[in-house]
């Protein structure tokens, strides 16, 4: 079966750094996405990785290792507004998007 | 770029009525549009995938006669919840694929429609 695992919940301190991990087992791979979803709102696109390595975009970075079936989202200089759920999703060989359940990130002052 | 709008943002209706939700890609042509449903504190659940000019593909367990999807153009898809019941109350979110960044596979989401059936 197809599976995406990410922690259910994480807590971090304002100003700190947090890394949210995602592991996947899918039938084929055509890219990995990270989305941010604030409570009561729709997801917003954060990043897309299709090749191994680190993609940096401001305070957010996303890393991919295809051989390990592993990705992480790194958030630096955390702000209170970063409190949200972070969704990992993988496109399989049929270009179907498989969603993880999301990681709820709680930022404390 | 890659803006998706959804209308209405919130709707309250009586049980037994039908509700239409519109999803538009404003600045790109969407090759594919998706409809999701999300109950409070739960994950996104894909309901159906629609391509312009063809019938939608529904996920297992989603009644196609109850959730009518029309994808009339490359920028517009509609979801009609027919004969709505209180258990249909949920957050309905559309997404569109084909935007300018993140590759052609990136889905861009509309802001969602909160449906409450009394």
């Amino acid at each position: 079966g197809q599976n995406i695992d990410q922690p259910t919940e994480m807590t971090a301190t304002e100003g700190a750094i947090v890394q949210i991990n995602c592991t996947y087992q899918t039938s084929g791979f055509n890219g990995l996405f990270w989305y941010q979803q604030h409570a009561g709102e729709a997801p917003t696109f954060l990043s897309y990785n299709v090749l191994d390595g680190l993609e940096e975009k401001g305070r957010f970075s996303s890393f991919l290792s295809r051989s390990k079936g592993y990705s992480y989202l790194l958030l630096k200089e955390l702000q209170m507004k970063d409190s949200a759920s972070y969704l990992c999703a993988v496109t399989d060989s049929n270009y179907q998007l498989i969603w993880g359940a999301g990681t709820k990130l709680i930022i404390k002052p | 770029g890659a803006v998706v709008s959804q209308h209405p943002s919130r709707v309250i209706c009586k049980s037994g009525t039908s509700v239409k939700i519109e999803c538009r890609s404003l600045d790109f042509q969407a090759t594919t549009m998706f409809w999701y449903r999300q109950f409070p504190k739960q994950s996104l659940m894909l309901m159906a995938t629609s391509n312009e000019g063809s019938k939608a593909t529904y996920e297992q367990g989603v009644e196609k006669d109850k959730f009518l999807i029309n994808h009339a153009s490359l920028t517009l898809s509609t979801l009609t919840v027919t004969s709505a019941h209180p258990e249909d109350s949920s957050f309905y979110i559309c997404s569109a694929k084909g935007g300018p960044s993140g590759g052609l596979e990136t889905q861009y989401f509309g802001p969602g429609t909160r449906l409450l059936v009394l």
Side-chain angles (χ1 to χ4, degrees):
Chain A
Q2 313 219 74
N3 196 47
I4 295 183
D5 288 315
Q6 48 181 133
T8 304
E9 187 174 297
M10 298 182 70
T11 303
T13 305
E14 189 178 16
I17 299 173
V18 71
Q19 177 175 309
I20 303 174
N21 295 324
C22 171
T23 58
Y24 61 90
Q25 299 93 38
T26 57
S27 54
F29 177 85
N30 277 301
L32 184 143
F33 299 85
W34 284 97
Y35 285 84
Q36 179 190 61
Q37 186 177 24
H38 284 101
E41 298 181 11
T44 55
F45 169 71
L46 289 178
S47 68
Y48 171 65
N49 293 68
V50 66
L51 299 176
D52 290 349
L54 187 68
E55 295 275 345
E56 296 186 76
K57 195 186 291 186
R59 292 189 300 115
F60 293 5
S61 303
S62 57
F63 172 83
L64 174 67
S65 169
R66 288 171 296 171
S67 62
K68 295 182 179 178
Y70 167 70
S71 171
Y72 67 74
L73 180 69
L74 190 72
L75 293 77
K76 302 177 185 176
E77 301 170 16
L78 286 170
Q79 302 175 9
M80 297 303 293
K81 67 178 182 179
D82 298 329
S83 292
S85 286
Y86 291 86
L87 311 175
C88 174
V90 172
T91 305
D92 69 9
S93 57
N94 293 320
Y95 291 93
Q96 299 292 316
L97 194 60
I98 315 300
W99 290 91
T103 298
K104 182 179 180 181
L105 177 64
I106 300 168
I107 309 296
K108 295 185 175 180
Chain B
V3 178
V4 177
S5 71
Q6 207 172 320
H7 177 81
S9 58
R10 185 181 298 265
V11 59
I12 301 173
C13 68
K14 292 182 180 178
S15 186
T17 60
S18 294
V19 175
K20 181 187 281 190
I21 303 169
E22 287 189 353
C23 177
R24 293 181 186 271
S25 57
L26 298 185
D27 53 0
F28 67 98
Q29 292 187 325
T31 53
T32 308
M33 286 184 165
F34 305 84
W35 287 96
Y36 292 85
R37 183 166 54 180
Q38 188 173 35
F39 293 104
K41 297 184 180 181
Q42 293 190 22
S43 302
L44 287 172
M45 188 193 81
L46 179 65
M47 299 175 68
T49 301
S50 86
N51 292 290
E52 183 260 343
S54 61
K55 289 185 179 180
T57 302
Y58 290 80
E59 296 299 302
Q60 196 170 10
V62 178
E63 301 173 55
K64 62 181 181 181
D65 293 330
K66 181 169 181 61
F67 298 99
L68 301 178
I69 292 172
N70 185 301
H71 195 156
S73 75
L74 284 171
T75 59
L76 173 65
S77 177
T78 60
L79 167 69
T80 301
V81 183
T82 61
S83 187
H85 290 284
E87 57 266 29
D88 298 324
S89 298
S90 187
F91 190 41
Y92 291 86
I93 316 171
C94 74
S95 70
K97 191 165 72 168
S101 60
L104 292 176
E105 295 305 311
T106 301
Q107 292 186 31
Y108 295 92
F109 286 84
T113 296
R114 201 162 297 281
L115 171 64
L116 177 61
V117 185
L118 302 176

